[in-house]
Amino acid sequence: MKSMIINTGYPRLGAILLSTLLLCSMAGCASKGKQPKAMPPTPSFGPPKIIQMRDIGAIAPTGNSVADMASDGNIYPGEWLAIEGKFIAESQFQIDGQTLVPAHLAANAMLVRVPAGLSPVKLHKLVLSNAHGTATKEFHTRHYIAATDTDENRLHFLRTDPATRGYIEMDSAYGMELTQKRALLSQISPSHGFLYSFGIISKEKVSKEKVSREKASKENTATGTGMAYKVSLQTIHLAAAGMPAVIDETEITLSSQPTSVSMDDKGRLVLLGARDLVFIDVSEETHPKIMAKLALPATSGKELYMDALFLNQGKHLALMETTQNRLLIYDIADLARPALVAQQRVYPKADMPMLVDILADPARSNRFWVLAGANLRILDEQLRDLYSRVMDGSQADEAHEVSEQLIAFEFEDGALIQGKTLDLPENFVPFFGISGPDKRLYVSGFNGEFLDFKTLTLDMALVKNMFLSLVNTVQFGRILAIDPESGQIQNQAQGLGLYYHLDYMPDLGPVYALYKLSGKMFAPFVKVKWGIGVSSRGTFSIRDGSANSIFPPYSVGYISLQ
């Protein structure tokens, strides 16, 4: 490199100029070219920002790559949301005012779970907030309606859609189904991300030697039945991409016919049999575990326990035995030693089954309601003759008087106390009852005046008149809405159908399994379709049913709502 020499003729001046140039070049003060912009320091904290929100199913992810997680764009209750953004790890997460507990997924990504109880219709809002500001994201949720179809060994699913009439997606109404042998009962999981479905695999006689061994080891939960019912418990992932999917199956053995299922808010589920029950832990939702079994009091050998209900935040369990019209209360604080602490016959003088169902009180956890009337859910030949005599008036006595009622009971200080009674419409044959979020009681059933109890066939003269009437004036099948305080009754649904098991979904109203009737004045008069009814939309006829389906005893199916 050539040296630069400045010759000014004045040695001292040249030295000064040279020094000035060197200093200027070192300080970056060249006279030509743009000056580099000074970059502000990167902030360590700021208002949150949501870059992406992705639904990834109800099963907690094992990896941390959001892009690799399956998603179908539909958000369900109980489903995990992967949220990517800035300054979100230090933020508070809320959906519709409910504070959530987030989990770290990866750098700049967090996990939150969609809570249960959201409306299937309204727009929901995710809010992230910290000391510097907030970020929001709005979304709708989709929800499944699940109906067991015992006759066809299937579970049918309907899916909600807030953008359609009646809020039910029509494409899902006739195509979403899973197979399960003798699908019978179902229960939504605590998070609402899963469904537990119970079906009967087999029914076998148990040898006397095996019964004796089981009695000695205290493993036989209802001695003396001589039967073993093998029950399949399927765990179904409701937030799976595309449609629900079975992810686990557990086998449970009861020694009596399964009759109902109930769950408390601690993740304990009870599967009730006619004379025994089993407690199941579903706190780890994808892997149910049997906790304990219990033999139920049986003195006559004809006992039939039909319903169970948790009371007092899961401290007690109420049972309904229908052949003797009894209520029993168990203390279940210690499942290893459940204690029978109270029992009562509701109709001491009655000589026929009068208890139909029990349902929670909308306001108090130690209070429940008993649904009473002609119990056609369990009708056999002996009861058929009895009901025939009772209904035609030839056996009208105190022991055989049918009362269509709702009766309140409270369990307090170790005692079962009977409260107020609400009368139902005369000749109303009840099936099931539930408590709605609007604090009303809902009861399904039909008008008994259409049924000839002598032959258990439809009264054809009444049927002809029924089909000549306008559909919206016909009251064969009915869903009643009852105010428990005033006793006021309204028809929530009515029409040409047999309305059976029901549940309640916010903004959609009662949802129920049904046999729908259609026909005309001339033979064959009546056609029957099995399906699902949704108060906001109407009824869905899914398959053909037998004409005998509308006569007791009934096997219509059970409803569960996500």
Side-chain angles (χ1 to χ4, degrees):
M1 184 170 102
K2 293 182 178 180
S3 299
M4 182 175 66
I5 300 175
I6 301 176
N7 187 2
T8 63
Y10 300 93
R12 186 176 180 84
L13 179 59
I16 293 172
L17 288 173
L18 181 60
S19 299
T20 301
L21 286 171
L22 289 172
L23 289 171
C24 191
S25 64
M26 291 174 63
C29 52
S31 60
K32 294 182 180 180
K34 292 184 179 181
Q35 298 292 326
K37 292 183 178 180
M39 298 298 293
T42 302
S44 59
F45 204 56
K49 181 180 180 180
I50 300 172
I51 297 175
Q52 178 180 247
M53 183 173 77
R54 183 181 177 89
D55 60 287
I56 59 172
I59 300 173
T62 54
N64 55 12
S65 175
V66 178
D68 294 337
M69 297 175 184
S71 173
D72 62 0
N74 293 321
I75 298 175
Y76 300 93
E79 185 166 22
W80 291 100
L81 299 178
I83 300 169
E84 297 177 283
K86 294 182 178 180
F87 309 117
I88 63 174
E90 301 82 4
S91 298
Q92 182 187 65
F93 287 70
Q94 289 187 328
I95 290 180
D96 291 355
Q98 298 185 54
T99 301
L100 310 176
V101 180
H104 285 271
L105 178 61
N108 301 319
M110 301 289 288
L111 277 178
V112 293
R113 199 166 202 178
V114 180
L118 298 183
S119 167
V121 175
K122 298 174 183 175
L123 193 64
H124 308 295
K125 181 181 288 188
L126 170 69
V127 178
L128 277 61
S129 59
N130 61 29
H132 294 263
T134 61
T136 63
K137 179 78 172 179
E138 292 184 330
F139 63 95
H140 281 104
T141 50
R142 308 292 285 273
H143 302 242
Y144 280 110
I145 296 168
T148 59
D149 184 358
T150 303
D151 292 341
E152 294 293 315
N153 300 314
R154 294 173 186 165
L155 286 89
H156 292 270
F157 296 91
L158 272 66
R159 186 164 55 194
T160 63
D161 183 350
T164 60
R165 183 174 70 88
Y167 313 119
I168 298 296
E169 176 190 298
M170 296 303 295
D171 289 344
S172 74
Y174 304 98
M176 283 192 179
E177 59 186 38
L178 294 174
T179 300
Q180 184 179 27
K181 188 172 182 180
R182 291 198 65 190
L184 182 62
L185 305 167
S186 61
Q187 174 66 52
I188 291 291
S189 74
S191 73
H192 285 211
F194 303 91
L195 176 74
Y196 304 116
S197 180
F198 299 86
I200 299 175
I201 302 172
S202 65
K203 180 176 71 170
E204 302 172 356
K205 287 186 177 181
V206 180
S207 67
K208 293 182 179 180
E209 291 79 9
K210 184 175 181 180
V211 170
S212 297
R213 289 196 304 270
E214 291 178 339
K215 287 172 66 176
S217 63
K218 297 182 180 180
E219 292 178 359
N220 186 29
T221 60
T223 59
T225 63
M227 300 298 297
Y229 287 80
K230 291 185 179 180
V231 179
S232 165
L233 164 54
Q234 289 187 351
T235 302
I236 298 170
H237 184 198
L238 293 177
M243 68 168 286
V246 177
I247 60 170
D248 186 73
E249 187 165 9
T250 303
E251 186 175 301
I252 301 169
T253 300
L254 287 173
S255 50
S256 58
Q257 169 85 25
T259 55
S260 74
V261 62
S262 184
M263 189 178 67
D264 69 359
D265 56 5
K266 298 177 182 178
R268 294 182 305 176
L269 186 151
V270 61
L271 174 62
L272 179 66
R275 296 179 205 170
D276 63 329
L277 61 80
V278 57
F279 291 99
I280 304 168
D281 180 8
V282 293
S283 57
E284 188 179 349
E285 294 186 319
T286 56
H287 300 289
K289 297 180 180 64
I290 296 175
M291 302 173 70
K293 295 182 178 182
L294 177 64
L296 300 175
T299 56
S300 69
K302 298 181 180 180
E303 284 79 6
L304 177 54
Y305 291 86
M306 288 191 65
D307 205 5
L309 180 69
F310 287 96
L311 303 175
N312 294 325
Q313 291 81 44
K315 297 176 183 176
H316 296 94
L317 183 71
L319 300 177
M320 183 192 80
E321 195 284 314
T322 191
T323 60
Q324 299 180 43
N325 298 311
R326 286 188 301 159
L327 298 174
L328 298 85
I329 306 293
Y330 276 88
D331 184 329
I332 56 171
D334 182 1
L335 289 184
R337 290 182 293 274
L340 179 60
V341 293
Q343 60 179 314
Q344 180 175 327
R345 287 194 68 180
V346 181
Y347 295 99
K349 297 181 180 180
D351 193 28
M352 57 190 289
M354 287 287 296
L355 303 190
V356 180
D357 199 13
I358 54 177
L359 47 155
D361 183 80
R364 287 185 266 177
S365 67
N366 69 329
R367 185 183 184 188
F368 62 97
W369 293 82
V370 173
L371 179 61
N375 194 335
L376 299 192
R377 289 167 52 189
I378 60 169
L379 201 64
D380 57 20
E381 187 172 347
Q382 183 178 357
L383 282 174
R384 177 183 303 181
D385 295 337
L386 177 58
Y387 277 127
S388 175
R389 296 194 303 272
V390 170
M391 294 303 177
D392 68 11
S394 62
Q395 190 161 346
D397 54 66
E398 189 175 8
H400 302 94
E401 182 178 350
V402 175
S403 300
E404 301 90 356
Q405 297 175 326
L406 277 165
I407 309 169
F409 284 87
E410 280 190 34
F411 180 68
E412 190 170 358
D413 298 328
L416 195 55
I417 304 167
Q418 185 170 333
K420 68 163 62 176
T421 296
L422 305 177
D423 291 328
L424 301 178
E426 189 176 359
N427 293 322
F428 183 74
V429 178
F431 287 134
F432 290 94
I434 57 163
S435 296
D438 57 357
K439 297 186 177 181
R440 292 195 295 177
L441 306 176
Y442 291 85
V443 176
S444 64
F446 71 95
N447 279 354
E449 62 187 6
F450 287 103
L451 189 65
D452 184 338
F453 277 85
K454 288 184 178 180
T455 59
L456 285 182
T457 59
L458 287 177
D459 186 317
M460 296 316 298
L462 289 173
V463 168
K464 290 180 182 180
N465 291 331
M466 183 168 67
F467 285 117
L468 283 172
S469 303
L470 294 175
V471 171
N472 61 0
T473 66
V474 174
Q475 296 182 356
F476 176 53
R478 298 169 72 183
I479 305 291
L480 306 179
I482 303 147
D483 185 328
E485 299 303 322
S486 67
Q488 182 180 2
I489 298 176
Q490 293 180 335
N491 277 336
Q492 187 71 19
Q494 62 188 40
L496 301 176
L498 186 75
Y499 301 164
Y500 200 63
H501 187 258
L502 77 165
D503 206 340
Y504 189 101
M505 182 173 281
D507 297 311
L508 270 66
V511 180
Y512 43 96
L514 72 121
Y515 277 114
K516 186 176 180 180
L517 283 66
S518 62
K520 53 190 177 182
M521 286 189 63
F522 309 103
F525 297 113
V526 179
K527 293 182 178 180
V528 179
K529 297 276 189 178
W530 180 91
I532 302 169
V534 183
S535 293
S536 65
R537 180 63 176 85
T539 58
F540 295 85
S541 300
I542 295 176
R543 65 165 176 83
D544 291 333
S546 165
N548 294 327
S549 302
I550 58 175
F551 306 123
Y554 295 106
S555 176
V556 183
Y558 286 76
I559 295 289
S560 287
L561 305 178
Q562 188 180 25

